[in-house]
Amino acid sequence: MYLIRRFENKVYELAERGLVFGSTHLEVGEEATAVGTLLNINKDDYLIATHRGHGQELLKGTSVRSMMAEMIGKEPGICGGRVGSMHITDASVNNLGRPGYNRGLLSDISWSGPRPKPS
């Protein structure tokens, strides 16, 4: 929770200075939600974060440096500095991002996964 709070405070500081690319929804005061969520998933599980998802993305394994670079629109960002805060994705840790159209996407993901064999 400490990592998330420090990260979010830095994002806020940078946003106040006009350095954050696009808009952002901070997770300050909601760090326990991210921690509680990520305690219950496995490394190979997929993550679709909430609109306040920086903490979830960090805990899933996305690097602090690459996320911060993305926030300020720099090339080393996890998405090349093109998406800012709102749509960070990281396939290397199965982080599918925070799309605004979750219903259809969730259905597609659930149907694309492995199926149990009928008995």
Side-chain angles (χ1 to χ4, degrees):
M1 286 194 284
Y2 182 72
L3 168 66
I4 299 168
R5 176 66 62 99
R6 289 200 54 203
F7 183 86
E8 295 291 62
N9 284 342
K10 188 63 173 180
V11 171
Y12 178 78
E13 175 190 319
L14 294 171
E16 286 290 298
R17 293 172 39 204
L19 299 174
V20 172
F21 179 69
S23 62
T24 186
H25 294 286
L26 299 177
E27 198 169 8
V28 174
E30 300 179 19
E31 297 89 352
T33 303
V35 173
T37 302
L38 274 286
L39 283 174
N40 293 296
I41 68 171
N42 298 314
K43 184 178 180 178
D44 58 341
D45 287 340
Y46 291 101
L47 171 69
I48 298 176
T50 68
H51 73 289
R52 299 185 191 279
H54 300 152
Q56 295 167 15
E57 294 157 342
L58 289 169
L59 293 175
K60 187 71 169 105
T62 302
S63 116
V64 172
R65 280 185 187 270
S66 62
M67 274 190 63
M68 191 59 76
E70 190 61 41
M71 301 282 179
I72 59 175
K74 299 294 182 188
E75 176 66 32
I78 192 67
C79 299
R82 296 182 306 269
V83 302
S85 166
M86 299 300 295
H87 300 287
I88 291 174
T89 61
D90 183 358
S92 72
V93 295
N94 292 334
N95 170 11
L96 302 178
R98 294 178 268 159
Y101 49 89
N102 286 350
R103 283 183 224 123
L105 180 64
L106 293 174
S107 296
D108 291 346
I109 292 166
S110 65
W111 284 106
S112 68
R115 298 273 171 255
K117 293 182 180 178
S119 35

